[in-house]
Amino acid sequence: MTTTALVLLALAGAAPVLALLLERAGRDAVVLVALLSAVLLSGSALAAWHADESSGGQQATAAVLGVVAAVAAGSLVVRAVFRLTRGELLPRPVDSRASVSATEDVTGAEGEPEQVLRGGAWIGYLERAGTGVTLLAGFPEGVAILIAVKGLGRYAELKQSNAPEAFIIGTLASLLWAYSAVGVAVLLR
């Protein structure tokens, strides 16, 4: 069962490649690929939950794969959550904004421009990597430090924009995904 957990975890981390291929083929499948990632991650968690003793090499592999899955597929999950919260379940045409790098304005539900915080994608990658490392190091309090630093760093922008809701939704979706992905590695210890 340990090998099954590792394979499913690796596939969940590789999901962004599938999303990229689908986007290049002209399909907007962020929600679908995020759901697939969640199913793969759930399967790996179940396999890890029922796994026998794992070796040191398997534990190290699980740790690396957990952080990779947290960092790589987390952006898909966050984008899917944003689409779900905005009611955008129907496929949209792919354009240069489909990758939502959090560096541009997008149109909100009412058709008014909605400010997206700059650098959000990179901050999300670093947030999920930091979350994974602190959890694997046995220092879950480190996540609180990460959230505090992120909030303080964004405070001025959040105060002047209409983006606090997106900030909260994105942060929670990102952290929950990171906890889930790294949780598989913790279960295999």
Side-chain angles (χ1 to χ4, degrees):
M1 292 293 263
T2 302
T3 304
T4 303
L6 294 176
V7 168
L8 291 173
L9 188 59
L11 289 173
V17 174
L18 175 61
L20 180 63
L21 292 174
L22 289 172
E23 281 183 356
R24 291 193 185 238
R27 302 193 191 285
D28 186 13
V30 170
V31 174
L32 177 65
V33 177
L35 287 173
L36 174 64
S37 299
V39 167
L40 290 168
L41 189 60
S42 298
S44 64
L46 286 173
W49 184 267
H50 295 291
D52 296 328
E53 274 302 303
S54 54
S55 69
Q58 290 171 328
Q59 290 176 6
T61 302
V64 170
L65 289 175
V67 173
V68 167
V71 173
S75 60
L76 290 173
V77 172
V78 171
R79 285 173 50 200
V81 169
F82 281 140
R83 295 237 175 112
L84 292 171
T85 59
R86 292 183 178 135
E88 299 174 7
L89 289 175
L90 299 175
R92 296 185 318 184
V94 176
D95 62 15
S96 62
R97 294 150 89 100
S99 64
V100 184
S101 66
T103 60
E104 313 170 10
D105 289 347
V106 295
T107 302
E110 293 83 28
E112 298 176 8
E114 182 178 312
Q115 177 69 29
V116 177
L117 298 171
R118 299 194 182 283
W122 281 104
I123 291 170
Y125 295 140
L126 294 171
E127 170 187 301
R128 290 185 295 275
T131 298
V133 169
T134 59
L135 292 175
L136 289 169
F139 183 61
E141 298 85 0
V143 176
I145 296 169
L146 288 169
I147 294 170
V149 168
K150 182 179 178 183
L152 289 172
R154 289 286 198 190
Y155 180 73
E157 291 173 285
L158 291 173
K159 194 174 175 184
Q160 297 175 355
S161 72
N162 60 350
E165 182 179 284
F167 176 81
I168 292 168
I169 290 170
T171 298
L172 291 176
S174 180
L175 288 173
L176 288 172
W177 177 260
Y179 265 94
S180 300
V182 175
V184 173
V186 172
L187 283 173
L188 287 171
R189 285 187 174 171

